[in-house]
Amino acid sequence: MNLTRTGVWYFTDGMSATEAAEAAQRIESLGYSALWIPEAMGRHPFAHASWLLANTSELIVATGIASIYHREPGVTLAAQKTLAEQSGNRFLLGLGVSHKPMVEGVRGLTYGKPVATMRSYLEKMNASPYSGPNPEPDPPCVIAALGPKMLELARNACKGAHPYFTSPDHTAMAREIMGADGWLCVEQKVILCEDPEKARTVARQTAQMYMALPNYRNNWLRMGLDESDIEGGGSDRFVDTTFAWGDANAIRDRIRAHYDAGATHVCIQPVHPDAPFGTLHWEALEALA
């Protein structure tokens, strides 16, 4: 699985199935190595990954992330192996514990201790029987990891980590914990806009949906930001730490900073500066390809 090139992280639930397939094909044609798709309250991530894989030929499709609370570990293992076998090993399973408001508030489930729950899930998944054709090599799995303990679990229990909404300094910290061999697949939000006021306004609007989620807030504080940076929609310091904005060269510098800090793969999430959230900014993807 070749993750050496930059990828794209994007919500495709605002597109029809045909539009999503066309977008995946266009992302592939631009030379990006992977398309990362989330799971929230929209499409089933494995069913949608199957559709996208069937409509592309080289693109890796990754889940960023599939929630471990939504399915039994053996079912996840079966989906992983099925998609890997059907696609010629182009499926990357990204798992995560999601967020307490999503798990308990939306799904009505009980949210457990994140690291212990993920450890148990991975152990049960790896121990589950599977009688279908086994893909070769064994398909990889990464987990959403922000703090040191989850990063250690990513190092010890699977192929690597998928940090989200962080910074190059966080990438450097994660690499130190992960060691030399673990995959570090880092998401980076980008805004192709040279107007500081406009770019930061768009960034704050984008960040609002994440501000109330404790997993992110705790990690931003761990990264050296403080409550005053997070409250009120995010200070300039918050935006400049977690978003890459400016012209294409400035954004490339931020992507390069992640690689210099030890990232295996960077998946960029293009935020459109002139359209509602969920509108794919092709100008950014073309400029950064």
Side-chain angles (χ1 to χ4, degrees):
M1 183 175 288
N2 181 13
L3 273 175
T4 57
R5 300 194 311 279
T6 298
V8 175
W9 196 107
Y10 201 68
F11 293 91
T12 58
D13 281 348
M15 306 175 183
S16 68
T18 299
E19 290 169 340
E22 291 172 347
Q25 292 164 358
R26 188 170 174 185
I27 287 168
E28 181 178 58
S29 72
L30 288 171
Y32 291 99
S33 64
L35 172 59
W36 294 73
I37 56 173
E39 176 178 29
M41 292 174 284
R43 289 188 175 100
H44 191 297
F46 299 149
H48 191 47
S50 179
W51 168 253
L52 298 176
L53 289 163
N55 280 279
T56 52
S57 58
E58 296 181 357
L59 189 71
I60 296 164
V61 176
T63 52
I65 53 76
S67 172
I68 64 173
Y69 287 95
H70 291 178
R71 54 198 62 86
E72 185 269 334
V75 173
T76 298
L77 178 78
Q80 178 194 31
K81 288 182 177 285
T82 300
L83 289 168
E85 183 239 335
Q86 289 177 347
S87 65
N89 208 32
R90 289 191 292 122
F91 176 69
L92 174 56
L93 175 65
L95 294 174
V97 297
S98 187
H99 303 274
K100 189 173 183 177
M102 293 289 294
V103 173
E104 295 192 349
V106 176
R107 302 292 182 182
L109 305 172
T110 300
Y111 193 75
K113 293 182 178 180
V115 175
T117 303
M118 177 60 80
R119 180 183 294 111
S120 175
Y121 192 92
L122 292 173
E123 290 171 351
K124 291 175 181 177
M125 191 177 82
N126 292 333
S128 297
Y130 180 72
S131 60
N134 252 317
E136 294 292 341
D138 203 39
C141 172
V142 297
I143 61 173
L146 297 173
K149 291 182 179 179
M150 193 69 83
L151 287 164
E152 289 173 1
L153 182 63
R155 178 192 66 205
N156 297 332
C158 60
K159 190 66 176 177
H162 175 44
Y164 185 91
F165 217 145
T166 60
S167 68
D169 286 345
H170 182 277
T171 298
M173 180 275 293
R175 174 51 68 197
E176 185 173 350
I177 293 173
M178 293 289 297
D181 298 329
W183 284 3
L184 197 50
C185 304
V186 180
E187 179 267 354
Q188 174 65 66
K189 293 173 182 58
V190 306
I191 305 174
L192 186 64
C193 176
E194 297 181 51
D195 180 341
E197 182 176 356
K198 180 178 180 180
R200 288 177 176 138
T201 297
V202 171
R204 291 185 180 100
Q205 293 168 348
T206 303
Q208 280 302 306
M209 63 187 287
Y210 301 96
M211 289 293 189
L213 298 175
N215 293 358
Y216 292 129
R217 291 181 70 95
N218 291 340
N219 191 57
W220 295 329
L221 296 173
R222 196 161 40 227
M223 286 163 49
L225 297 166
D226 56 41
E227 290 289 351
S228 65
D229 291 311
I230 301 169
E231 298 299 336
S235 66
D236 287 356
R237 181 179 177 225
F238 170 84
V239 170
D240 296 349
T241 297
T242 57
F243 284 78
W245 61 268
D247 64 13
N249 286 331
I251 295 173
R252 286 193 198 99
D253 287 344
R254 172 64 67 89
I255 295 169
R256 189 176 301 112
H258 279 292
Y259 285 119
D260 289 344
T264 306
H265 170 79
V266 179
C267 42
I268 59 173
Q269 182 176 168
V271 179
H272 204 302
D274 298 305
F277 180 79
T279 306
L280 190 49
H281 193 207
W282 286 107
E283 183 182 349
L285 291 185
E286 289 168 354
L288 299 168

